[in-house]
Amino acid sequence: MNASPNPNLHPCFNAEAKGSYGRVHLPVAPHCNIKCNYCNRKYDCVNESRPGVTSAVLSPMQACRYVEQVIAREPRITVVGIAGPGDPFANPEETLETLRRIRRKFPHLLMCLSTNGLGLMDHLDAIGEIGVSHVTITVNAVDPEIGQKVYGWVRDKKIIYRGLRGAELLLDRQLRAIEGLKARGVTVKVNTIVVPSVNDHHVEAIAERMSKLGVDVLNCMPMHPNAGTAFENVPEPGKEMMEEIRGKAERHLPQMRHCTRCRADAVGLLGEDRSGELHGCLTACASLPRDLAERPHVAVATLEGLLVNQHLGEALKFQVWGKSEQGFRLIEERTAPEPGGGLGRWERLAEVLKDCRAVLVAGIGDNPRRVLTMRGIEPMEMSGFIELGLEAVYSGRGAKEFKARKSGGCQKGFGCLGTGDGC
Ligand code: SF4
Ligand code: SF4
């Protein structure tokens, strides 16, 4: 059985964890349902570090592959978060599908979300069921008179609200969402973007109200005057102003002081961001087919069509299997590329199997594993009945589940998975 994620290993919520543990943001939510007057999500540059910026937008499947690759390179990652580049609940299908996939595949990781809170109410139960433990809501005002100066518009179910009505609606949703999260035992952080001469005098009132709702921590962030926004000419608050504001807010709530204002595709430790370095993984994953529907099949290295019993390199042909309502069915056999040619051989194999989401093999080397994974084909090492491997792939449990079952060993010496259900 997998251990539950340790909530203390979130580097944003626990400053002591920031030097040892990291997070990866999955940019799966491109759209937003409000317009903050300081936000510009159009600009993309790997050297630009601020919320709303990403080098690519991933589908849930691509995001899952990306997490696999990131964790292989940076095992100190303990948190997977979704922080845009828009709002997670302006893209609820993508957000929840990503979280579910991550939860299935990486049960040991903490999951968090960062949202404006407008669309959160409808998904509170899903969040609880998936096991999202940390949520951040950005609350810039608890007085709609002030809020209306921060937001250009608020969109709810295709209707756009501006001015006071928009700010009232947003605040009402945020307050109810926070109550709902706390009722479900979620740790809640509130981010407040400090905008000089707009809400800088109002932050203590926000802290006081949030404290009454049971919010755990407040993160006062200086507004970045982004070019092309309504606030582009508002000066960025200085350190002195921010410390004074945090000091007042601290009378009501603990303060986060180690925030690094991360990109929507940030990855690594807070003080050791690796998004530049892992940029290649992100863009490679973004170029994978966006939907598994484009990869309906599974390839199998087998001698006789019953067991997975060939190493990838020794297989001269692969069976290609699919799934229909009647169950698994063999579609055809395909000839493997001729041996030789270095990595090119595996590139050619990826092309032969380009409609396959996984390949079941008795063994595989590091190079072909890397090439096939980068091309969207998951290698699953196993021995035993083909059908059990197909079940693991099509159920979404994948290689991880399979390995767990494999480690149990066959009780009857048949070299199969040892679950008892196939014997
Ligand atoms: Fe930008 Fe976030 Fe505001 Fe949406 S909620 S407009 S993504 S800052
Ligand atoms: Fe943590 Fe701040 Fe980065 Fe969000 S923006 S992940 S709170 S450090």
Side-chain angles (χ1 to χ4, degrees):
M1 209 169 128
N2 292 299
S4 301
N6 180 348
N8 294 322
L9 301 188
H10 196 310
C12 307
F13 287 74
N14 176 11
E16 285 176 17
K18 76 181 161 86
S20 313
Y21 301 101
R23 48 59 183 122
V24 54
H25 284 174
L26 302 179
V28 297
H31 308 298
C32 195
N33 44 11
I34 69 173
K35 175 66 187 160
C36 300
N37 285 333
Y38 48 75
C39 178
N40 181 356
R41 289 175 286 131
K42 287 186 190 133
Y43 186 47
D44 166 32
C45 162
V46 282
N47 299 316
E48 177 79 349
S49 182
R50 60 176 171 79
V53 175
T54 182
S55 292
V57 171
L58 302 176
S59 71
M61 181 276 282
Q62 292 169 340
C64 225
R65 292 248 184 258
Y66 178 55
V67 172
E68 273 171 22
Q69 295 181 20
V70 161
I71 287 182
R73 288 165 175 79
E74 178 49 280
R76 293 175 295 175
I77 298 285
T78 49
V79 183
V80 170
I82 298 178
D87 188 86
F89 296 104
N91 312 261
E93 290 85 14
E94 291 84 353
T95 295
L96 295 174
E97 173 64 12
T98 302
L99 293 173
R100 288 195 175 103
R101 282 170 182 262
I102 300 291
R103 176 50 79 229
R104 278 200 298 266
K105 217 156 187 178
F106 308 98
H108 64 290
L109 293 177
L110 292 166
M111 293 201 292
C112 77
L113 290 164
S114 186
T115 170
N116 60 47
L118 181 72
L120 183 51
M121 282 295 294
D122 292 343
H123 306 288
L124 284 168
D125 288 337
I127 285 175
E129 166 228 317
I130 293 167
V132 175
S133 53
H134 296 73
V135 173
T136 295
I137 301 192
T138 300
V139 179
N140 295 321
V142 289
D143 176 352
E145 292 286 348
I146 295 171
Q148 68 173 325
K149 296 179 192 159
V150 180
Y151 306 108
W153 48 258
V154 171
R155 189 183 59 238
D156 185 43
K157 297 189 176 55
K158 297 191 180 163
I159 299 174
I160 301 264
Y161 299 90
R162 297 179 196 275
L164 203 55
R165 275 197 77 192
E168 282 170 349
L169 174 67
L170 179 60
L171 178 61
D172 175 63
R173 294 283 179 82
Q174 290 173 332
L175 299 177
R176 290 198 287 140
I178 291 170
E179 279 176 352
L181 290 169
K182 292 313 302 176
R184 286 163 177 81
V186 176
T187 302
V188 177
K189 171 161 70 65
V190 162
N191 281 356
T192 295
I193 313 300
V194 177
V195 187
S197 74
V198 175
N199 70 350
D200 52 333
H201 58 288
H202 181 55
V203 179
E204 188 177 353
I206 298 173
E208 190 174 4
R209 185 85 179 264
M210 295 302 113
S211 166
K212 286 181 182 149
L213 290 174
V215 165
D216 298 271
V217 61
L218 185 67
N219 178 18
C220 301
M221 301 170 79
M223 184 208 67
H224 187 284
N226 292 313
T229 67
F231 288 166
E232 68 179 334
N233 295 318
V234 176
E236 183 165 353
K239 279 194 175 139
E240 230 170 79
M241 180 194 260
M242 290 305 300
E243 258 329 290
E244 195 186 326
I245 287 171
R246 289 184 183 123
K248 287 183 185 163
E250 202 158 34
R251 294 171 190 156
H252 308 280
L253 272 179
Q255 298 294 295
M256 177 181 185
R257 286 188 163 84
H258 60 286
C259 177
T260 47
R261 290 205 300 203
C262 310
R263 296 166 55 94
D265 59 1
V267 53
L269 272 58
L270 295 193
E272 210 182 293
D273 195 85
R274 296 179 65 182
S275 32
E277 189 186 333
L278 293 173
H279 187 246
C281 288
L282 179 69
T283 49
C285 287
S287 69
L288 295 172
R290 290 193 69 80
D291 194 327
L292 279 180
E294 293 174 41
R295 290 180 180 269
H297 302 140
V298 174
V300 182
T302 176
L303 283 167
E304 75 301 287
L306 184 66
L307 300 170
V308 179
N309 50 16
Q310 281 197 297
H311 192 282
L312 184 95
E314 69 177 346
L316 301 177
K317 55 185 175 11
F318 289 86
Q319 288 193 347
V320 173
W321 287 72
K323 189 182 179 201
S324 68
E325 282 178 8
Q326 285 73 45
F328 303 123
R329 68 190 174 92
L330 176 63
I331 292 168
E332 61 183 3
E333 284 191 347
R334 291 186 195 159
T335 305
E338 291 288 317
L343 291 181
R345 178 184 177 194
W346 310 123
E347 293 286 355
R348 291 194 296 281
L349 179 61
E351 193 55 31
V352 169
L353 305 179
K354 67 182 178 195
D355 57 340
C356 297
R357 61 183 70 180
V359 57
L360 309 183
V361 289
I364 183 170
D366 288 344
N367 281 337
R369 177 184 291 283
R370 199 159 37 243
V371 171
L372 293 177
T373 303
M374 290 297 284
R375 296 284 297 267
I377 303 166
E378 181 180 25
M380 265 182 52
E381 258 182 293
M382 63 174 283
S383 59
F385 293 110
I386 291 172
E387 192 156 325
L388 291 178
L390 295 174
E391 267 172 22
V393 173
Y394 282 107
S395 67
R397 297 192 303 270
K400 195 158 191 159
E401 161 83 3
F402 187 84
K403 273 182 202 147
R405 297 170 75 185
K406 188 180 173 188
S407 66
C410 175
Q411 307 296 313
K412 299 186 180 177
F414 295 157
C416 67
L417 294 172
T419 58
D421 51 6
C423 302

